[in-house]
Amino acid sequence: MEHVFQELLQHYFHGPVHSIETVPFGMTNESRIVAMNQKKYVARIYNRHTKNKERLRFEVELTAYLERCSLSFDIPGFVSSMDDAKYVVLSDGSLGSLSRFIEGEVPDLSSMTDVLSYGRTVGEISYALQQFESDSVDVVCPAIAFHDVYNLHSLSNQTKINEFLACPPFDIDAEQIAVLQGYYESVINHAAELNALPKQMVHHDILVFNLLINPQSREMSGVLDFDFAAMDIRIWELSICLNHLLQHEDQTLTKVELFLDEYRKYMRLTRAEIQWIPYIMQLYYVSLLSIYIGQHLAGRNIASYFHLMLKQLQIRREWMERKQHEFVELLYSKCL
């Protein structure tokens, strides 16, 4: 893999770079932090199953649009190669790019201040994404539909997912498989109702791992990783973020309320959207499991990730059984 990164960097710099460091993130793509001329960049080699030229051209346009929005945080814009291209096709056919490095640290969701900043950031970028329209005839805006669980990875269609669940390649509790199969059946039955909900551009992955915060001001300094950005039902963004927040502390709704107080400054939802949020929050883990099954079929070892998502699904399912009424009332009070 390192020789592929060396080939990529030859398209951007004359001579050898000062340093290349591996990073502790990036399951979807291969990434490195590169230092050159007293500046830092993120070099990326894209996963062929999730990124093609069309998808990459869209990401280039979307991030350029967000850079023009005067947001309170930064976006990792694409750096032009020596041929003035925003991405490179390498000799093995893979795609690569270089983007600006943004300084900051991972937010701490045990901190009330960081929770406020998180809610504000999600609301702000959601509002900006709501206004996005492609101004290029050469760019096609993708539509992922995260609730379309059989079309989230090119290798994990309905047949392959059913085969995986019928004969798992590693140990999975039979009761968990039965619960998971129930979700797969339910989403087909609810497809028409979900497809009727309002849609907009959605990031799909605004987790702390894709956020950077200023360690002094505790204001967000960057939102990263637009790999899964696409048109989708808009409550996916809030649902994913609320799941993430509750993973850190779910005994009370205090942090959810703080988050929503900031989110509502930018975004409001319909009553129908709010009613579907509890289901979408659970379905999120099913969607991730579909992606992991595709990654398994592509040769990745996904056992630990798969078990983690199954556990999170169980936790959220049981939490909703206890808290759903109180939770939905809070959403009504803050988001209508």
Side-chain angles (χ1 to χ4, degrees):
M1 178 56 69
E2 298 312 311
H3 73 280
V4 183
F5 276 101
Q6 291 295 341
E7 180 187 349
L8 170 65
L9 295 174
Q10 288 172 9
H11 289 269
Y12 290 89
F13 306 114
H14 292 293
V17 299
H18 295 155
S19 69
I20 303 177
E21 301 175 15
T22 58
V23 295
F25 55 81
M27 183 175 179
T28 304
N29 305 306
E30 294 286 345
S31 302
R32 301 288 186 272
I33 296 176
V34 176
M36 184 69 175
N37 300 327
Q38 298 182 325
K39 292 183 180 180
K40 286 185 178 181
Y41 305 89
V42 177
R44 187 166 286 116
I45 305 295
Y46 294 96
N47 184 312
R48 299 186 190 197
H49 294 292
T50 59
K51 189 79 72 175
N52 55 28
K53 290 182 183 180
E54 183 178 88
R55 191 73 175 77
L56 193 48
R57 281 196 293 268
F58 160 74
E59 189 174 332
V60 168
E61 181 171 343
L62 179 64
T63 53
Y65 158 77
L66 291 170
E67 286 184 293
R68 298 192 299 269
C69 285
S70 301
L71 300 169
S72 63
F73 44 84
D74 206 355
I75 301 295
F78 285 76
V79 176
S80 295
S81 70
M82 290 186 288
D83 294 330
D84 200 32
K86 296 297 186 181
Y87 65 89
V88 173
V89 181
L90 301 170
S91 58
D92 65 354
S94 59
L95 303 173
S97 73
L98 200 71
S99 59
R100 292 186 297 104
F101 180 85
I102 301 171
E103 297 287 351
E105 64 183 32
V106 174
D108 176 10
L109 295 186
S110 67
S111 159
M112 298 298 189
T113 301
D114 286 15
V115 169
L116 289 168
S117 186
Y118 186 31
R120 188 160 55 251
T121 299
V122 175
E124 186 178 357
I125 197 166
S126 295
Y127 181 78
L129 290 172
Q130 187 173 251
Q131 318 305 314
F132 173 76
E133 291 183 4
S134 175
D135 55 10
S136 172
V137 296
D138 298 325
V139 173
V140 177
C141 292
I144 288 182
F146 236 50
H147 60 282
D148 188 3
V149 291
Y150 292 121
N151 286 291
L152 292 176
H153 191 286
S154 60
L155 299 181
S156 56
N157 56 31
Q158 186 169 0
T159 299
K160 292 297 184 182
I161 289 175
N162 289 341
E163 289 175 354
F164 180 96
L165 295 177
C167 187
F170 44 83
D171 185 49
I172 304 175
D173 182 80
E175 288 187 15
Q176 289 182 313
I177 289 180
V179 168
L180 188 53
Q181 289 171 326
Y183 279 101
Y184 277 111
E185 292 171 8
S186 72
V187 75
I188 293 175
N189 296 332
H190 293 314
E193 295 161 283
L194 294 173
N195 287 331
L197 294 172
K199 297 178 177 64
Q200 70 164 68
M201 192 61 61
V202 176
H203 182 288
H204 285 119
D205 205 20
I206 309 181
L207 313 181
V208 292
F209 319 109
N210 288 325
L211 295 170
L212 294 168
I213 201 166
N214 185 303
Q216 282 76 45
S217 68
R218 307 314 295 179
E219 295 291 338
M220 213 64 72
S221 59
V223 175
L224 315 175
D225 195 354
F226 291 82
D227 267 339
F228 294 108
M231 289 296 295
D232 203 347
I233 58 175
R234 67 179 176 183
I235 56 170
W236 268 115
E237 203 83 277
L238 179 59
S239 299
I240 291 169
C241 294
L242 289 174
N243 266 335
H244 193 51
L245 188 59
L246 289 167
Q247 283 175 338
H248 289 78
E249 195 274 305
D250 67 356
Q251 297 306 303
T252 72
L253 291 174
T254 301
K255 289 182 180 177
V256 172
E257 185 169 3
L258 290 173
F259 177 99
L260 293 174
D261 280 338
E262 295 299 311
Y263 174 84
R264 70 185 298 204
K265 294 176 181 178
Y266 299 90
M267 296 291 293
R268 295 301 175 98
L269 305 175
T270 68
R271 184 169 290 270
E273 288 178 291
I274 290 172
Q275 290 171 347
W276 278 105
I277 285 176
Y279 177 74
I280 289 291
M281 288 174 66
Q282 296 169 72
L283 191 63
Y284 169 64
Y285 299 107
V286 182
S287 301
L288 291 181
L289 289 169
S290 294
I291 294 171
Y292 287 139
I293 290 171
Q295 292 179 341
H296 161 74
L297 294 171
R300 284 184 179 268
N301 181 359
I302 57 112
S304 61
Y305 297 101
F306 199 90
H307 283 299
L308 177 61
M309 288 306 107
L310 272 180
K311 181 64 175 177
Q312 292 300 329
L313 174 59
Q314 179 184 348
I315 290 171
R316 190 58 56 240
R317 179 187 177 93
E318 293 173 353
W319 187 87
M320 285 298 176
E321 290 175 354
R322 303 190 311 272
K323 294 278 192 175
Q324 182 164 330
H325 177 75
E326 181 185 1
F327 175 62
V328 170
E329 288 302 309
L330 178 61
L331 288 169
Y332 282 144
S333 71
K334 299 295 184 180
C335 296
L336 279 176

